[in-house]
Amino acid sequence: MILRPARARTLIFMALGTVAFATGALVGCTPRSAPTPTPTAVFATEKEAFAAAEEAYMAYNEAFNAIDLTDPSTFEPVFARTTSDFRNADKETLSELSAAGLQFVGETRIIGFKGMSSTAHFEEIVALVCIDLSESDVVNAAGDSVVPIERPAVNTLRVTFAANAGSVLIAHADREPEASCDSE
């Protein structure tokens, strides 16, 4: 069959039209992507977020004071209140202290908590936490303290909390020796 130029052009346009129509039909038939949900704030206010973070740190401190370094199962309540690098650091430290045969004596107390900042939806909360260490110690099997003499009586920390679905966990902490939890 010999095609004339006009007829060949018509067939090419028809073929291109069919491809364009099929492509358009396929695009029209593909499901639309689900809309991205707008993040919902974990707490109604920053004040509420700070209060939840303070409760979370109080629960952590209570669990920490209950640790028996000879019984690793007592570490679990501490790990349940932490996440991320803070949990990893606690796991490493507690394992090392336990392996060395050391023991905690006394208790630490929270003497200050000051909310510093939070993200827009309160997924991350930062606070200054002051812990009184003066009634706590770490001792060896002979009962001798292994804590450096220069350890301060109060440990001031900048603590980052991760909040999700009403759960607030300690994610990170850095010492802030120049900061104070004193009332301003």
Side-chain angles (χ1 to χ4, degrees):
M1 164 181 201
I2 298 177
L3 294 177
R4 291 183 224 147
R7 176 140 169 108
R9 208 171 317 132
T10 302
L11 285 174
I12 291 172
F13 286 133
M14 284 177 55
L16 289 174
T18 303
V19 169
F21 177 77
T23 303
L26 286 175
V27 170
C29 291
T30 53
R32 293 182 182 195
S33 60
T36 304
T38 304
T40 304
V42 179
F43 300 101
T45 65
E46 188 174 59
K47 183 178 180 179
E48 189 180 301
F50 290 153
E54 184 173 12
E55 285 178 29
Y57 203 91
M58 288 170 45
Y60 169 81
N61 193 65
E62 185 178 317
F64 198 89
N65 283 331
I67 289 175
D68 176 353
L69 288 171
T70 64
D71 180 4
S73 70
T74 65
F75 305 173
E76 292 306 317
V78 169
F79 302 151
R81 289 162 173 78
T82 61
T83 189
S84 194
D85 64 331
F86 196 87
R87 179 182 290 161
N88 295 338
D90 270 357
K91 283 183 175 186
E92 184 178 330
T93 299
L94 294 174
S95 294
E96 288 173 2
L97 294 174
S98 179
L102 301 176
Q103 191 63 40
F104 291 134
V105 294
E107 292 188 343
T108 61
R109 290 183 312 115
I110 299 169
I111 58 171
F113 187 97
K114 183 171 27 175
M116 303 295 287
S117 65
S118 63
T119 56
H121 297 288
F122 310 117
E123 304 97 349
E124 186 176 285
I125 305 158
V126 178
L128 196 63
V129 182
C130 294
I131 303 134
D132 180 354
L133 305 172
S134 64
E135 299 297 319
S136 68
D137 204 352
V138 181
V139 297
N140 60 22
D144 299 323
S145 178
V146 297
V147 173
I149 291 238
E150 62 275 359
R151 177 183 85 168
V154 174
N155 195 10
T156 306
L157 302 172
R158 179 182 203 81
V159 181
T160 302
F161 298 86
N164 186 352
S167 171
V168 179
L169 301 174
I170 301 167
H172 186 80
D174 288 311
R175 285 191 177 86
E176 290 282 331
E178 303 302 317
S180 170
C181 286
D182 295 335
S183 300
E184 295 178 8

